[in-house]
Amino acid sequence: MAKAIVNANRSKGHINRNIYGHFAEHLGRCIYNGIYVGEASSIPNLNGMRTDVVAALKKMGIPVLRWPGGCFADTYHWRDGIGPKESRKKIVNTNWGGVTEDNSFGTHEFLELCRQLECEPYISGNVGSGTVQEFSDWVEYCNMGGQSPMAEERRSNGQEGPWNVKYWGIGNEAWGCGGNMRPEFYADLCRQYSTYLRNYDTEHPIYKIASGASEGDYNWTKVIMERAGRFIDAVSLHYYTLPRTGDWTDKGPATGFPRSEYYSTLRKTFYMEELVENHSRIIKQYQGDRKIGLCVDEWGTWFDVEPGTNPGFLYQQNTMRDALVSAVNLNIFNNHCDTVVMANIAQTVNVLQAVILTEGEKLLLTPTYHVFEMYKGHQDARQLESYVETTLTGEGEDQVPNLHISASEGKEGVLVTIANLSDTDSAELDCALTGIGRAASVEGRVLTGPCGAYNDFGAEETVRPSHLAAEITDGGFKAVLPACSVAAFTVR
Ligand code: AHR
């Protein structure tokens, strides 16, 4: 019997809904043919956006969407993507497969997508190959309500009012595809760009996110905070989970993986906690009186592409292993909600750890989708301290705690989410609720299956949430968590 405690007397604060954010790049079939099919498509759409994709994302709860990259952002010139579509420039997507980018999805289309999704836009601006003026104009184009050259241009392109875009990324991976910069150089650029990214409405101040570190590059965060901390609101962090150590040419398959790679992937997922804690510590050390947030604006699994698909398109399947990776990461972010203000899984549709896969007009929901949906109640809820007794499970050196938990108190009651990482053993759970009073009801849901199970086109959806029996006890509730599962309990 594993004992758990959820303590409503202690909290790190509220869980920013943006922790449940997503990322959509001009990469492979994420935007084009994934989200956006154009008005003329036979696939049902509203203003070019697939209606089935939009409906599924809304149901899952998408609070914020990051765009247009990724690496693409630092090659993107926003003016190429405005005005009549027929006269938009056709460019080469030099980062992702060398395909033609016809710019039919630009600023207006992205903000129309966010309107349909009822989510906040987060735009990454071009620092690597753009100019300060270009970026500054983009903010003015999006956010200026009165008269100005950019506001007039926006109106002439059909958008009367400002969109008031709050979140702006100052470049992406400036240490790599965003310009191969040294942190000292980027910190200066960040100060310069930040100076000219203006607020056009005091009621809608913009929120500036500096391009942050890759994984454990703590010096990056230190230098950015020390030199540019006064000019930003948050710093980002990117960390991808690969099953095999450090080899980007041989990452391992997304399906049909050996047991050892199930556990190595999970072990590497836990590294996120160390990264979040260490980067947060550095941020706190230099932030002074202003609170600077940590945005984990790229995270997720990165496997070999599916055989026969374009290597530049990063298309991979998604199994119960991905479900556990997302459950553990989301638990980590919830439990560090005092510093993690946003996180964006890479990427929404058809790329890396996607929540939705499409094939022509077909669509499927991945196990990762279901985890986000089951965790939705954590958004904007009050985080609660939680603890669960664990044993180690795994293979060889890849040992991980068998259980992982987070909890919150929101509109629907207390939500307790627990992952059982063991691929063989179920776990009996006895969860005590402190400071809550006796539960009137407890509702359990579970996502489970063999750790390699996935949903496929043309087959029944085998991985989907189902009811999980839970029994109210004097001090909380009891349940049995199946092997390889993610469970969510709502206690009222
Ligand atoms: O998500 C794919 C790529 O990974 C992004 O474009 C880049 O920022 C990161 O290296």
Side-chain angles (χ1 to χ4, degrees):
M1 179 78 72
K3 288 209 182 324
I5 296 180
V6 173
N7 180 7
N9 296 322
R10 286 195 62 187
S11 168
K12 282 193 180 162
H14 95 285
I15 297 172
N16 195 318
R17 65 205 311 254
N18 291 337
I19 281 177
Y20 290 80
H22 292 257
F23 166 40
E25 180 167 10
H26 287 232
L27 194 178
R29 295 186 301 115
C30 184
I31 296 286
Y32 297 111
N33 293 317
I35 294 172
Y36 181 74
V37 285
E39 293 87 336
S41 172
S42 59
I43 298 175
N45 69 84
L46 177 62
N47 299 328
M49 317 298 158
R50 281 184 74 137
T51 48
D52 54 355
V53 169
V54 169
L57 292 175
K58 277 179 81 172
K59 184 165 179 232
M60 178 194 71
I62 177 168
V64 62
L65 183 60
R66 178 174 183 252
W67 172 85
C71 295
F72 182 76
D74 283 290
T75 60
Y76 185 62
H77 300 285
W78 67 273
R79 288 186 163 283
D80 294 349
I82 57 168
K85 290 197 180 172
E86 51 293 355
S87 46
R88 293 189 192 173
K89 222 185 247 178
K90 292 188 173 43
I91 59 163
V92 183
N93 189 333
T94 47
N95 282 295
W96 305 116
V99 294
T100 301
E101 159 67 59
D102 70 2
N103 278 302
S104 55
F105 189 95
T107 303
H108 289 250
E109 290 75 22
F110 172 61
L111 293 162
E112 165 61 11
L113 170 65
C114 293
R115 185 193 68 78
Q116 291 186 25
L117 292 171
E118 295 172 20
C119 78
E120 289 275 353
Y122 166 14
I123 297 182
S124 270
N126 183 345
V127 171
S129 70
T131 64
V132 180
Q133 185 67 53
E134 181 185 6
F135 197 162
S136 165
D137 284 350
W138 202 3
V139 178
E140 182 183 324
Y141 187 88
C142 291
N143 288 359
M144 176 64 185
Q147 272 201 330
S148 82
M150 291 304 117
E152 294 311 324
E153 195 173 348
R154 182 190 68 232
R155 288 189 187 106
S156 72
N157 286 326
Q159 175 67 26
E160 176 54 38
W163 286 289
N164 293 321
V165 176
K166 177 173 178 179
Y167 299 107
W168 292 90
I170 305 180
N172 168 75
E173 297 194 349
W175 41 264
C177 64
N180 284 310
M181 300 173 197
R182 294 172 304 112
E184 293 78 8
F185 181 74
Y186 172 72
D188 280 347
L189 275 188
C190 182
R191 292 165 66 118
Q192 185 190 10
Y193 273 75
S194 169
T195 308
Y196 298 98
L197 305 183
R198 308 286 193 192
N199 281 323
Y200 292 97
D201 179 346
T202 45
E203 277 179 34
H204 298 100
I206 66 170
Y207 189 92
K208 300 169 192 170
I209 302 164
S211 170
S214 169
E215 308 188 1
D217 183 356
Y218 300 117
N219 183 52
W220 184 276
T221 303
K222 177 181 173 292
V223 173
I224 304 311
M225 281 303 301
E226 207 171 18
R227 298 184 180 213
R230 285 194 298 121
F231 300 85
I232 55 173
D233 299 293
V235 191
S236 79
L237 163 68
H238 289 182
Y239 173 54
Y240 285 97
T241 315
L242 276 66
R244 299 181 188 163
T245 309
D247 187 352
W248 285 81
T249 59
D250 181 26
K251 297 177 279 293
T255 61
F257 46 83
R259 183 170 191 252
S260 57
E261 286 184 14
Y262 170 74
Y263 279 112
S264 63
T265 306
L266 294 180
R267 183 180 59 75
K268 284 154 168 256
T269 300
F270 279 90
Y271 182 40
M272 182 64 92
E273 182 143 44
E274 182 178 327
L275 291 173
V276 163
E277 286 178 355
N278 289 345
H279 285 287
S280 296
R281 234 168 253 137
I282 298 168
I283 291 172
K284 279 184 185 156
Q285 191 183 343
Y286 292 96
Q287 70 184 359
D289 295 339
R290 289 174 61 237
K291 183 180 181 238
I292 307 288
L294 179 66
C295 294
V296 188
D297 59 14
E298 285 186 32
W299 68 271
T301 54
W302 194 323
F303 305 125
D304 291 338
V305 297
E306 292 305 318
T309 65
N310 187 330
F313 280 15
L314 310 186
Y315 177 75
Q316 65 189 41
Q317 249 295 359
N318 193 291
T319 66
M320 271 307 297
R321 173 176 63 169
D322 294 82
L324 287 157
V325 169
S326 53
V328 169
N329 274 306
L330 293 172
N331 284 339
I332 291 172
F333 301 147
N334 287 342
N335 290 332
H336 293 82
C337 65
D338 51 338
T339 51
V340 180
V341 294
M342 191 193 289
N344 309 72
I345 189 171
Q347 299 192 5
T348 321
V349 182
N350 292 332
V351 170
L352 298 176
Q353 194 177 348
V355 291
I356 291 174
L357 301 178
T358 66
E359 199 179 80
E361 54 182 35
K362 292 186 229 138
L363 167 150
L364 66 78
L365 306 177
T366 67
T368 301
Y369 173 97
H370 292 301
V371 173
F372 272 80
E373 191 276 322
M374 289 166 70
Y375 275 54
K376 188 163 67 170
H378 285 309
Q379 293 188 25
D380 286 337
R382 177 175 168 261
Q383 183 263 2
L384 303 181
E385 178 182 73
S386 61
Y387 168 80
V388 64
E389 263 177 7
T390 60
T391 57
L392 287 179
T393 179
E395 196 173 271
E397 303 211 321
D398 293 312
Q399 300 288 326
V400 290
N402 64 332
L403 301 172
H404 196 253
I405 189 171
S406 73
S408 69
E409 187 173 26
K411 281 190 233 114
E412 303 294 324
V414 171
L415 177 62
V416 183
T417 49
I418 309 187
N420 180 0
L421 284 69
S422 167
D423 63 335
T424 49
D425 297 343
S426 61
E428 287 181 35
L429 177 78
D430 182 0
C431 183
L433 303 168
T434 303
I436 293 166
R438 192 185 158 87
S441 71
V442 54
E443 201 182 294
R445 291 173 80 204
V446 69
L447 188 74
T448 187
C451 53
Y454 60 95
N455 294 326
D456 208 356
F457 293 102
E460 209 190 315
E461 187 185 42
T462 48
V463 188
R464 62 198 297 188
S466 58
H467 170 75
L468 180 65
E471 180 198 329
I472 296 177
T473 59
D474 280 345
F477 67 91
K478 276 185 179 171
V480 178
L481 309 172
C484 193
S485 69
V486 180
F489 300 94
T490 306
V491 185
R492 295 183 176 94

